[in-house]
Amino acid sequence: MKKSTLIFSLALLTGASCITSCHKTQTKNNEINYNVEKFYDLEVLRYDVPDFDELSLQQKKLVYFLTEAALQGRDILYDQNCMYNLAIRRTLESIYVNYPDKQDEQFLLMEKYLKRVWFSNGIHHHYSEHKFLPEFSREWFADALKYIPEEDRLRIQGDKRVCGTEHDGVSGIFSPIVFVMFDPDYMSKKVNQTAGEDLLLTSACNYYQGLSQAEAEAWYAAHKDTSDEPMWVGLNAQLVKNGEGDIIERTYKVGGLYSEALERVVYWLKQAREVAETEEQRLVIDKLIEYNTTGNLRTFNEYAIAWVKDLDSRVDFINGFTEVYGDPLGITGAWEAMVNFKNIEATKRTEVLAANAQWFEDNSPTAKEYKKETVKGVSAKVINAAILGGDCYPSTPIGINLPNANWIRKEYGSKSVTIQNITDAYDKAAQGNGFNEEFMLSDKEIEMVRMYGALDDNCHTDLHECLGHGSGKLLQGVTKDDLKEHGSTIEEARADLFGLYYIADPKMVELGIMPNAEAYKAEYYRQMMNGAMTQLVRIEPGKDIEEAHMRNRQLIAGWVLDHVTPDAPEVEIIEQDGKHYMRVNDYEGLRRLYGELLAIIQDITSTGNYAAAKEIVEQYAVHVDKKLHEEMLERYKKLNLAPYKGFVNPVYTPVTDKDGNITDIQLNFTEGYAEQHLRYSRDYSPLPTWN
Ligand code: ZN
C-alpha cells in the first residue's frame, strides 16, 4: 500500500516539558523471576543486574541519571516506526485503564493486542515487520472508545487535522486510527525490502513522508558529504516533501523534530555529566548534549570519536539515533538507548581477543589486499545492561559494535560489547523447555550443546562483535553504502562467518578462551540447524525472510549446504521418521566451507560489488523452503514456546537524605510487564501524538 495517499498534518507542538518524576523507595527483592509472561509468539523475561552493589555511589548516580535519559526517548521510536503508533498506543492504553469490565472476552483480546504493541513499539511485528491485526471486533472497539475520558481524547487528537469520514460509527480522530489498525492492506509492512518495489512508498515507517525512493536517493546523492571525515547525512532527520514539492529535512533535535523528548534527554545528560567518572566520559556526555541541541552532524562525529576513546570508565551508555535497519534505505537512525557497566571478570576474555586482533586479521582466509595492515583500537568488553531503551527494548541485542561510520572505525577503532546478563537471562529462562530434544539429531548433539552452548554463544558473540565487524578493509573509493539494501545482510554474514571460522581455531584453545578442541562443535551444529531450519519458526507461513540477521544466518547455512562435497557431504539435512534433522558429518570440513564463504563475502564487501551481493542474498537468504517451513512450525507449535523474547527493566529508585541528597540507588525486580509500560507511558511520554 502506498503511504503517500495519506493527508499529513505536520504542525509542531512545543509544549513545556515537566522533568520531575515521582519516586517511591522500594526494597530489593533477591529472588528474580526470569519468566514474566507469554503471549502470541512473544515471551517477556527479566534480567538481573549483577554487581550493581559493587559500584561506587557516584557510579550508581551516573547509572541512574543515564537510565532516566534512556527512558525519555521511548516515544520517539514509536513515532519513527509509524506515524500512527503513538495515537494507537494512547487510545488502547486509555481503554485499558478505563474500560469497566476487565473480564470481558473482547477486552482480554484487546489487552493481548496492546501487549503486542508495547513489545513491538508499534503496530508492526518487531522482527517480521508485518502489521499484526486485532482479534477483537471493530464493533466492540468502536463502542469501547466511549470510555476514553475527554482529557485523553484531546491529547490523542492533538493538532491533527482529521480528514476521516465516519466509518462503522467511528468519527473524528478515531476514524483514521481504527482504519489503520483494522485494514489488512494499509501500511501492512514497516520496512519493505522487496527488490523492484518503491521501498519508501511501500514501507509504513515514518522516516520519509511523501517521497518516492528515487527522490530520496537523489536527495541523498546531492547532499552526500564526500570529504575525508564525512558527516552521515540523513542520520538524524526525517525527509519530507511539502505542499510545494520541496524536500525538507526535519532534524531530530531540541527545537526540531522530537524536541520534547530530546529536551528531557538533555536534562538528564546534564545531571549525568556532573558525576562523570573521567574527563573522557564528561567530554562524551558534553558532545552528546551539544549534538542533541544543535543536530550538527560534525558534532556527532566528535561525539562518536570521544565515545570510542572513552575506555577507562566502568559505566558506559548509548543514547541516540543509532542503527539504520528500520530505514528501508539504511540511512536514518532509530532511537535507542542502553546503559551498562563493565563485567570485570568476563571482560578478561575479550581483552585477550582484542590483544591478539592483528593475529586474527593476518590469518583470516580472506584475500591479502582486503586485510588491514594494522588493526587499530579494537576494544572489547563484557557488560551488564542496567537499562534497555528505545530500539533495545523490550527486545534487545546480545552484542553491540559501534560506531557505524566506517571512517571513524578505520581511524579510531570501535567499541564492542557482549551483554552477559542478557545472555544469562535467556539461558536461565530456556532451561529444559524441550527445544533441543525436538530438533537436534541425537543425544550427542544435545549433550554437546548442554556442555558448551552458553560458552560458545558468548565466545561467538565476542568474535562477531569485537573482531568480525572490525576486520577487513574497503578498497579505495568503495563505501559502505555501495551494497545498498543488501549491505546489512552482507555485513552481518561477514561478522558471523569471522566468528564461526575462528571459534574452531586452535588459537582459541591456546589463548585459554575455549576449553578444548571439541567445544566449538556445539556452535557449528546450532548455526547450521538454526540457519537452515529452526529459525523458520519465527516466520509466518507463506512469508519470506526480511530481517538482516536472519537473512545472514540462512545465507550462510544455505550456501554451505549447496557447496558440500557431493559424495561425502560435510553436512546435510536428513530425514528420520518423517522429520528433518541437521547432521554434521565432518566438522573440520564445515569449517573449511565457512572459511571459503568468508572470503567471498569479504570480497563483495571490499569491492562494493552490489550485483554479487544481490545475487547471493537473493539465492540463499530470502526464500523459504515451504515444506520445511511448515514442518518446523508444526513441531515447534507442539512445544508451546515463544520464538521472540523481550525484557522488563528493573526499577531504579534514588534514596535521599533529609536535604534531598542522593545517598543510594536501590534496585527492584518485581515490576510487571503491563505495569511497567503504563508507568513509562505516564512518566516518560513527552511527545505530542502527532509529530
Ligand atoms: Zn553484527
Side-chain angles (χ1 to χ4, degrees):
M1 270 308 286
K2 288 192 168 37
K3 210 169 106 176
S4 57
T5 52
L6 257 185
I7 295 172
F8 297 105
S9 155
L10 294 175
L12 281 166
L13 283 185
T14 40
S17 306
C18 160
I19 33 188
T20 51
S21 53
C22 154
H23 305 288
K24 278 177 266 145
T25 306
Q26 289 168 313
T27 50
K28 180 172 171 175
N29 183 341
N30 287 318
E31 280 301 303
I32 291 178
N33 169 20
Y34 287 93
N35 304 75
V36 179
E37 60 179 291
K38 254 197 272 191
F39 43 91
Y40 294 108
D41 54 353
L42 311 171
E43 183 174 11
V44 180
L45 311 174
R46 201 185 298 281
Y47 59 94
D48 192 6
V49 187
D51 304 334
F52 183 75
D53 291 337
E54 231 179 56
L55 302 180
S56 68
L57 177 59
Q58 186 189 347
Q59 287 170 326
K60 285 182 182 175
K61 280 158 82 173
L62 178 61
V63 167
Y64 170 67
F65 295 144
L66 291 171
T67 61
E68 290 291 305
L71 295 175
Q72 293 294 357
R74 175 169 172 261
D75 283 353
I76 296 175
L77 184 69
Y78 276 80
D79 194 69
Q80 287 183 311
N81 282 343
C82 176
M83 65 178 294
Y84 285 95
N85 279 338
L86 285 172
I88 291 171
R89 191 192 79 201
R90 284 172 179 163
T91 301
L92 294 164
E93 285 172 349
S94 186
I95 295 174
Y96 185 68
V97 171
N98 296 296
Y99 194 78
D101 180 4
K102 301 281 200 280
Q103 295 309 314
D104 181 285
E105 208 177 295
Q106 293 285 309
F107 174 85
L108 294 174
L109 290 172
M110 189 216 71
E111 178 182 37
K112 232 170 118 187
Y113 175 82
L114 172 58
K115 285 183 174 177
R116 210 177 194 183
V117 169
W118 284 329
F119 198 98
S120 298
N121 294 287
I123 57 173
H124 298 90
H125 193 282
H126 72 290
Y127 217 79
S128 80
E129 317 278 1
H130 290 276
K131 185 164 83 173
F132 41 83
L133 295 171
E135 290 176 297
F136 50 91
S137 75
R138 201 192 272 242
E139 293 69 34
W140 176 84
F141 191 68
D143 181 63
L145 291 167
K146 71 178 180 226
Y147 295 104
I148 296 179
E150 181 63 4
E151 181 195 355
D152 289 359
R153 198 190 59 75
L154 288 172
R155 184 161 194 230
I156 293 162
Q157 161 101 40
D159 66 341
K160 175 85 172 165
R161 195 154 42 88
V162 181
C163 61
T165 44
E166 186 171 315
H167 288 290
D168 301 324
V170 180
S171 60
I173 188 61
F174 296 118
S175 173
I177 291 173
V178 171
F179 178 74
V180 172
M181 281 170 63
F182 283 89
D183 187 277
D185 298 324
Y186 187 67
M187 291 188 154
S188 61
K189 213 172 193 182
K190 183 169 71 182
V191 184
N192 182 22
Q193 297 281 19
T194 312
E197 294 180 9
D198 187 307
L199 302 185
L200 300 195
L201 299 181
T202 55
S203 295
C205 59
N206 193 20
Y207 297 102
Y208 305 89
Q209 288 187 354
L211 286 84
S212 69
Q213 181 178 352
E215 286 172 321
E217 281 172 349
W219 192 93
Y220 286 131
H223 291 81
K224 191 170 178 160
D225 181 357
T226 52
S227 65
D228 289 346
E229 300 188 347
M231 296 183 289
W232 190 304
V233 176
L235 179 67
N236 63 340
Q238 183 187 53
L239 276 191
V240 177
K241 194 158 142 189
N242 69 11
E244 282 82 57
D246 300 323
I247 294 172
I248 293 166
E249 220 186 354
R250 298 178 74 210
T251 304
Y252 311 146
K253 61 170 189 169
V254 171
L257 186 52
Y258 306 137
S259 183
E260 299 84 351
L262 294 172
E263 284 163 34
R264 293 199 190 182
V265 169
V266 165
Y267 170 88
W268 286 106
L269 289 176
K270 284 181 177 167
Q271 311 303 306
R273 82 169 299 282
E274 298 305 317
V275 288
E277 295 172 81
T278 58
E279 278 315 306
E280 287 77 17
Q281 189 178 50
R282 200 183 314 274
L283 179 68
V284 173
I285 300 174
D286 283 341
K287 285 290 168 193
L288 185 57
I289 291 170
E290 189 188 331
Y291 167 59
N292 276 321
T293 311
T294 63
N296 186 332
L297 289 164
R298 291 245 177 267
T299 311
F300 177 74
N301 285 346
E302 290 163 16
Y303 152 76
I305 293 164
W307 183 79
V308 170
K309 287 182 176 169
D310 174 25
L311 296 172
D312 296 331
S313 309
R314 178 143 190 212
V315 177
D316 203 351
F317 73 104
I318 295 159
N319 185 307
F321 303 94
T322 311
E323 299 295 349
V324 297
Y325 304 107
D327 172 359
L329 301 184
I331 293 186
T332 308
W335 197 88
E336 74 171 49
M338 179 182 287
V339 183
N340 61 75
F341 58 93
K342 202 184 281 181
N343 177 328
I344 306 261
E345 192 50 43
T347 294
K348 286 177 190 153
R349 193 177 69 216
T350 55
E351 281 169 352
V352 171
L353 284 183
N356 289 277
Q358 193 65 50
W359 184 91
F360 285 95
E361 184 76 1
D362 295 345
N363 288 279
S364 94
T366 56
K368 194 163 177 288
E369 62 267 34
Y370 306 149
K371 292 181 203 269
K372 282 182 179 150
E373 293 78 20
T374 25
V375 186
K376 268 190 213 167
V378 178
S379 94
K381 58 184 177 178
V382 180
I383 59 168
N384 289 326
I387 204 109
L388 310 170
D391 209 16
C392 295
Y393 170 84
S395 169
T396 188
I398 51 170
I400 295 178
N401 182 299
L402 289 171
N404 283 331
N406 250 325
W407 73 269
I408 299 179
R409 302 172 73 89
K410 216 170 129 207
E411 293 295 316
Y412 300 93
S414 59
K415 259 201 300 205
S416 166
V417 300
T418 306
I419 312 165
Q420 180 114 4
N421 60 335
I422 296 295
T423 319
D424 288 349
Y426 283 132
D427 230 44
K428 290 206 170 81
Q431 271 162 23
N433 66 13
F435 183 89
N436 293 350
E437 287 74 8
E438 172 59 37
F439 289 106
M440 291 183 175
L441 181 63
S442 71
D443 289 348
K444 196 180 95 194
E445 284 80 13
I446 295 168
E447 179 58 15
M448 196 162 82
V449 167
R450 195 189 61 75
M451 292 222 3
Y452 299 116
L455 172 80
D456 282 11
D457 228 13
N458 283 324
C459 287
H460 183 262
T461 308
D462 293 342
L463 286 164
H464 174 117
E465 297 292 349
C466 69
L467 299 180
H469 279 304
S471 73
K473 67 175 181 191
L474 305 181
L475 295 185
Q476 200 70 38
V478 175
T479 76
K480 211 181 162 180
D481 301 338
D482 290 352
L483 301 181
K484 296 183 203 166
E485 74 272 21
H486 301 304
S488 299
T489 302
I490 294 293
E491 177 58 18
E492 291 311 320
R494 202 173 70 86
D496 258 3
L497 285 161
F498 194 96
L500 288 165
Y501 181 77
Y502 275 120
I503 197 170
D505 201 287
K507 185 81 175 176
M508 295 292 282
V509 181
E510 188 189 306
L511 292 172
I513 297 171
M514 294 297 279
N516 59 54
E518 301 290 305
Y520 76 89
K521 292 179 180 174
E523 185 65 19
Y524 274 30
Y525 188 78
R526 262 199 318 206
Q527 196 286 324
M528 288 303 297
M529 179 185 82
N530 183 49
M533 300 167 69
T534 49
Q535 73 163 351
L536 294 177
V537 303
R538 296 173 156 203
I539 304 289
E540 282 174 50
K543 300 268 160 64
D544 277 335
I545 301 179
E546 301 280 344
E547 201 274 336
H549 295 81
M550 285 186 80
R551 283 189 167 185
N552 128 52
R553 289 178 201 126
Q554 178 166 293
L555 189 160
I556 294 172
W559 185 94
V560 165
L561 287 168
D562 207 23
H563 289 79
V564 294
T565 311
D567 37 6
E570 290 80 358
V571 52
E572 60 189 325
I573 295 178
I574 61 152
E575 194 178 338
Q576 203 170 274
D577 305 325
K579 292 177 177 180
H580 289 86
Y581 297 91
M582 188 62 67
R583 183 164 76 191
V584 179
N585 302 312
D586 172 5
Y587 280 94
E588 280 166 39
L590 177 52
R591 182 181 186 221
R592 202 174 51 244
L593 289 164
Y594 283 147
E596 278 172 32
L597 182 56
L598 174 57
I600 292 170
I601 295 289
Q602 184 61 54
D603 180 74
I604 290 172
T605 305
S606 291
T607 59
N609 188 341
Y610 174 75
K614 184 169 152 54
E615 194 186 325
I616 202 167
V617 169
E618 283 177 0
Q619 187 174 355
Y620 295 110
V622 180
H623 304 295
V624 169
D625 178 326
K626 299 261 176 320
K627 280 196 91 150
L628 193 61
H629 188 195
E630 264 169 43
E631 181 192 319
M632 291 301 122
L633 287 172
E634 208 181 293
R635 288 163 66 185
Y636 188 76
K637 203 173 162 204
K638 289 190 185 133
L639 298 172
N640 197 25
L641 302 174
Y644 302 101
K645 323 274 186 213
F647 293 90
V648 290
N649 281 315
V651 182
Y652 293 80
T653 310
V655 181
T656 50
D657 64 16
K658 61 177 174 21
D659 303 318
N661 303 310
I662 295 175
T663 56
D664 196 12
I665 303 291
Q666 288 191 341
L667 262 171
N668 181 288
F669 296 92
T670 58
E671 192 169 40
Y673 178 65
E675 204 187 338
Q676 178 153 96
H677 282 275
L678 289 173
R679 181 171 66 86
Y680 285 178
S681 292
R682 189 190 67 217
D683 296 345
Y684 303 95
S685 191
L687 287 191
T689 304
W690 309 100
N691 291 280

